[in-house]
């Protein structure tokens, strides 16, 4: 066998063979989602305050 003609190994392309199910800019994860995150944080803070107030009332 002539190994001289076989050539070198192909270099990797450093990309996945599949597409992510929640890639940036897709339907599931659109760009500009920071407003939703701010709403979520506001809801979480309100819930924490309500829980704290309820705990104080129980004492």
């Amino acid at each position: 066998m002539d190994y001289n003609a076989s050539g070198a190994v192909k270099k990797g392309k450093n990309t996945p063979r599949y597409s992510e199910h929640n890639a940036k800019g897709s339907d599931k994860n659109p760009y500009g989602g920071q407003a939703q995150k701010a709403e979520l944080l506001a809801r979480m803070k309100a819930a924490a305050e309500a829980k704290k107030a309820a705990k104080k009332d129980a004492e």
Side-chain angles (χ1 to χ4, degrees), residues 22-41:
N22 60 349
K24 293 277 187 187
S26 64
D27 292 337
K28 290 185 179 180
N29 192 7
Y31 290 121
Q34 292 300 322
Q36 296 170 352
K37 189 172 184 179
E39 292 171 8
L40 173 66
L41 284 172

Side-chain angles (χ1 to χ4, degrees), residues 1-7:
M1 179 151 201
D2 186 12
Y3 290 106
N4 190 23
S6 64

